[in-house]
């Protein structure tokens, strides 16, 4: 469970550290990531490109609204199925 000073938000299709984002949560991790960035610029370019692709696929306002509508539609279909089953019982 996150500490009280961290905001816990469920984000669908999260980024993955080292694959399409570089994350850090303290100064030591920051120093490690900075060292990686300086020593591996080609790898960093690949991470940046994958991060942009991931962002465009899942984190634009259009993609977020589409995800939300899909979830709402799924809930409505499930509710409709439950209501229909109850009518047939």
């Amino acid at each position: 469970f996150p500490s009280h000073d961290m905001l816990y938000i469920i984000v669908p299709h999260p980024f993955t550290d080292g694959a399409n984002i570089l994350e850090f949560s303290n100064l030591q991790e920051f120093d490690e990531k900075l060292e990686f960035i300086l020593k591996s610029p080609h790898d960093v370019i690949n991470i940046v490109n994958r991060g942009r692709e991931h962002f465009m696929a899942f984190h634009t306002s259009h993609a977020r609204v589409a995800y939300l509508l899909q979830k709402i539609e799924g809930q409505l279909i499930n509710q409709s199925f439950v209501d229909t089953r109850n009518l047939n019982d």
Side-chain angles (χ1 to χ4, degrees):
F1 193 78
S3 67
H4 70 280
D5 60 342
M6 292 182 66
L7 184 59
Y8 184 72
I9 300 174
I10 296 173
V11 177
H13 310 288
F15 289 88
T16 303
D17 187 34
N20 52 27
I21 194 170
L22 294 175
E23 297 178 316
F24 62 92
S25 58
N26 58 49
L27 287 176
Q28 181 180 347
E29 288 179 7
F30 173 78
D31 288 342
E32 292 167 1
K33 299 296 170 124
L34 183 57
E35 186 176 334
F36 170 76
I37 290 168
L38 295 173
K39 288 184 177 180
S40 308
H42 181 43
D43 292 333
V44 172
I45 290 169
N46 289 333
I47 292 169
V48 167
N49 289 333
R50 288 191 302 266
R52 183 178 191 288
E53 290 169 6
H54 184 85
F55 174 82
M56 295 304 291
F58 300 112
H59 299 287
T60 63
S61 56
H62 182 271
R64 292 275 176 98
V65 169
Y67 175 82
L68 178 62
L69 292 174
Q70 178 185 15
K71 288 298 184 183
I72 291 170
E73 181 181 38
Q75 288 294 336
L76 291 174
I77 289 170
N78 288 339
Q79 184 62 41
S80 175
F81 176 73
V82 169
D83 290 346
T84 303
R85 278 191 45 203
N86 289 338
L87 291 175
N88 292 330
D89 289 341

